[in-house]
Amino acid sequence: MLVLSRKAGETIWIGEDIEIVISEVKGEQVKIGIRAPRSIDVIRGELRQDVSTSNTEAVLKNMDIFKPKK
């Protein structure tokens, strides 16, 4: 993992299309802005984990329909 130190108002670029702006640093919280093409999904890490867990549960439930019934 690349770790960078930035101050409020500074930016980080990912490729040619994605800009991350550090808009505010307050205590342990950092507010960031992201400029990216609409084709790029941007999602918070905790939501991504929730979606992954929900998808796994849905697949497991669907697998139950293939089990022979007693």
Side-chain angles (χ1 to χ4, degrees):
M1 175 189 324
L2 173 65
V3 178
L4 302 171
S5 296
R6 303 274 67 200
K7 295 177 183 174
E10 294 182 334
T11 61
I12 298 168
W13 280 85
I14 300 173
E16 296 293 322
D17 297 335
I18 302 171
E19 181 184 24
I20 298 173
V21 181
I22 308 303
S23 55
E24 182 179 325
V25 179
K26 197 174 195 178
E28 294 185 6
Q29 191 171 41
V30 177
K31 289 186 179 180
I32 61 171
I34 301 169
R35 291 187 185 105
R38 291 192 180 273
S39 60
I40 301 293
D41 292 332
V42 177
I43 188 168
R44 290 182 289 157
E46 66 272 18
L47 293 178
R48 184 176 176 158
Q49 181 60 42
D50 288 348
V51 168
S52 177
T53 300
S54 296
N55 286 344
T56 300
E57 290 171 358
V59 168
L60 292 176
K61 284 181 183 176
N62 286 333
M63 294 297 287
D64 288 342
I65 64 173
F66 296 112
K67 290 182 181 176
K69 296 184 180 188
K70 295 178 184 179

